Amino acid sequence: MKIIILTQYFPPEVGAPQNRLYEMAARLRKMGVEIEVLTAMPNYPSMEIHKEYKGKWYVKDEMDGMPVHRAWIWVGKSKSMPSRLLNYFSFVFSSFWIGCFKLSKADYLLCESPPLFLGISAVLLKKLKKAKLIFNVADLWPESAEKLGLITNKTLLNITTRLEEYLYKSSALITGQAQGIVKNIQSRFPDKTVYWLPNGADLSFYNPDKMNANWREQNGFLPGDFIILYAGIIGYAQALEIILKAAELTKAQPSIKWVLLGSGPVKEKLIAMKEEMQLGNVYFYPPVPKSTMPEVLKAIDVSLIPLKKIDLFLGIIPSKIFEAMAMKKPLLLGVEGESKELFIEQGQAGLAFTPEDADDLVKNALYLYNNKVEAMRLGENGRNYAEENFNRDKIAEKFYNFLKSEK
């Protein structure tokens, strides 16, 4: 079996889709699947091409024995819609031409969405390479873009909705990262096969029992500090203002430290808010390589996962949940719907707070702060739940067997 993976995002970039796709590809290869990757020049999230790839139209790398074809992409610092569209469509164009000449025939072509527009290249390439299209949906577009206010133009919304429908109909298989995504697509396209392909954890890499960490000491935190960590994209969807509000409400507990690790479009705004509010208990750090994340997670006390309070996110599962659970860290989860049902109600891996409600966040944070034995118990529950249900090895094996049965 041979699979082409077409994605705008891939390592050495740091991020959820990058890690998820790489981990899946590496495991499938170990099972005997031939994997080829077609991706963009590394640039995310800084929106600047990495030094060794600057000025190049095409580069071929190899990762764990897998050929990785990298195509030119236009990047810019502007967050305007024209800039975003130029970024997306530049890779649609370059990926098609590079794919024409550099990729060989395959059984499947798996396309990662978003960006939805990459599906245009995928449809063209799957015909040329005689492959069946697997459209992997990590986020429902254009629905999420509309509800987040990223796309307000009605004409563009209509065009992207029609494109979404066309791509689903052109796919031999649609995979969804969350059950909510799967149910949404299945309800609209009952004749299509839709498969739940969840994210998960590398339980051998994220193993707190087999590592030491000095990240806490290196960054000036005291042994008695209670570190609540948000790690990820500092963007619009996460409603991260809640962290600053919670920090203001916990000034009377100086050992509670709120840490934001990552980069993104609202980071500068939040830093300015911190200064204006004079919050000495809030700390910002740049993103770290994947290799460093286990050390960071080992050093903190609680993993904070917030999102905006909108219906769109009822079916979303943030990837940082799995890493925190694997490292036995209790969750403070500000996400309703599927995530709350799976990880709080079923997995008993932490506490839930109402999204965008700083008072409720503080109430639950103080409970964990004052009940550290209970916090440890919730962390142990999370590791056990991840081992049973979200082990990346098992997820890849199940997907491989499904594809074999579909051939």
Side-chain angles (χ1 to χ4, degrees):
M1 184 190 302
K2 179 176 179 180
I3 300 176
I4 296 168
I5 296 177
L6 174 61
T7 172
Q8 186 167 317
Y9 310 107
F10 203 71
E13 294 176 337
V14 176
Q18 293 89 334
N19 292 337
R20 171 170 45 81
L21 290 169
Y22 168 76
E23 296 285 354
M24 174 65 70
R27 283 164 174 75
L28 290 173
R29 184 180 178 277
K30 288 181 180 178
M31 296 174 198
V33 179
E34 186 180 352
I35 300 287
E36 257 188 302
V37 180
L38 175 55
T39 188
M41 299 294 177
N43 66 90
Y44 187 84
S46 64
M47 299 307 290
E48 184 175 350
I49 302 293
H50 292 194
K51 183 178 179 180
E52 59 270 39
Y53 297 95
K54 278 187 176 180
K56 297 181 179 178
W57 168 255
Y58 169 74
V59 174
K60 183 179 180 181
D61 291 335
E62 186 173 296
M63 299 181 70
D64 287 348
M66 299 179 291
V68 180
H69 305 276
R70 301 189 187 274
W72 171 83
I73 186 171
W74 182 89
V75 296
K77 296 289 186 179
S78 172
K79 301 175 181 64
S80 67
M81 184 51 62
S83 180
R84 288 173 184 265
L85 291 176
L86 186 55
N87 173 256
Y88 297 150
F89 277 100
S90 66
F91 183 59
V92 171
F93 172 79
S94 66
S95 65
F96 171 69
W97 285 106
I98 293 298
C100 281
F101 297 105
K102 299 297 182 180
L103 295 176
S104 53
K105 292 182 179 179
D107 298 294
Y108 294 101
L109 189 155
L110 187 151
C111 177
E112 173 79 0
S113 173
L116 178 70
F117 306 107
L118 189 55
I120 299 170
S121 177
V123 168
L124 296 172
L125 287 174
K126 69 112 174 175
K127 294 177 181 178
L128 288 172
K129 305 305 172 182
K130 310 297 183 183
K132 295 179 181 178
L133 177 60
I134 303 173
F135 203 66
N136 187 53
V137 182
D139 194 4
L140 288 167
W141 268 64
E143 183 180 357
S144 61
E146 179 183 14
K147 291 187 176 180
L148 287 172
L150 300 178
I151 299 180
T152 56
N153 184 286
K154 295 297 182 182
T155 301
L156 182 56
L157 283 170
N158 289 334
I159 292 172
T160 51
T161 298
R162 291 177 184 175
L163 175 61
E164 177 197 33
E165 294 172 353
Y166 172 74
L167 294 174
Y168 291 163
K169 291 176 181 178
S170 301
S171 301
L173 172 66
I174 304 166
T175 53
Q177 190 180 328
Q179 293 179 85
I181 292 173
V182 169
K183 291 174 183 176
N184 178 292
I185 297 172
Q186 192 74 77
S187 67
R188 291 185 289 144
F189 301 88
D191 296 333
K192 303 301 297 186
T193 301
V194 189
Y195 177 91
W196 183 30
L197 184 60
N199 201 347
D202 183 340
L203 296 171
S204 60
F205 182 72
Y206 289 99
N207 188 342
D209 298 331
K210 294 184 178 180
M211 64 170 296
N212 296 312
N214 58 2
W215 183 88
R216 176 184 289 253
E217 293 76 16
Q218 287 176 341
N219 288 278
F221 293 104
L222 300 174
D225 285 339
F226 190 77
I227 303 175
I228 300 173
L229 171 74
Y230 170 82
I233 297 299
I234 301 181
Y236 301 100
Q238 291 76 24
L240 296 173
E241 295 84 358
I242 192 176
I243 297 178
L244 303 187
K245 294 174 184 177
E248 188 170 39
L249 293 170
T250 54
K251 282 183 176 179
Q253 289 81 22
S255 59
I256 297 180
K257 310 295 186 183
W258 302 84
V259 174
L260 295 93
L261 186 149
S263 61
V266 301
K267 185 172 183 177
E268 291 181 6
K269 173 189 171 184
L270 293 177
I271 292 174
M273 284 180 62
K274 172 199 167 180
E275 298 301 324
E276 183 179 343
M277 297 168 71
Q278 298 182 343
L279 297 173
N281 54 350
V282 176
Y283 303 81
F284 286 88
Y285 293 96
V288 300
K290 175 188 171 184
S291 59
T292 307
M293 274 310 299
E295 182 180 346
V296 176
L297 288 168
K298 173 81 172 181
I300 60 100
D301 296 281
V302 176
S303 178
L304 173 61
I305 299 103
L307 281 177
K308 283 183 177 290
K309 186 178 175 62
I310 56 177
D311 289 346
L312 174 69
F313 292 153
L314 294 175
I316 291 294
I317 300 178
S319 62
K320 58 184 69 67
I321 288 175
F322 303 105
E323 297 167 357
M325 289 197 306
M327 291 298 293
K328 300 184 180 180
K329 298 303 173 181
L331 309 175
L332 270 175
L333 184 68
V335 187
E336 295 183 331
E338 185 173 338
S339 288
K340 182 179 177 182
E341 293 168 8
L342 286 173
F343 306 110
I344 305 302
E345 296 172 6
Q346 295 180 26
Q348 298 287 302
L351 302 178
F353 65 92
T354 304
E356 300 190 72
D357 187 333
D359 291 323
D360 199 28
L361 168 57
V362 168
K363 182 187 75 172
N364 286 283
L366 288 175
Y367 178 83
L368 295 176
Y369 173 68
N370 292 314
N371 296 273
K372 294 184 175 62
V373 173
E374 174 65 5
M376 290 179 63
R377 186 187 72 83
L378 294 171
E380 291 283 350
N381 289 347
R383 173 78 187 191
N384 294 335
Y385 191 63
E387 287 178 342
E388 293 172 8
N389 300 281
F390 296 98
N391 183 327
R392 274 184 167 151
D393 293 337
K394 295 178 181 178
I395 292 168
E397 182 179 9
K398 183 179 178 182
F399 185 50
Y400 172 66
N401 290 332
F402 179 82
L403 293 180
K404 282 203 305 182
S405 70
E406 290 290 298
K407 286 192 69 177

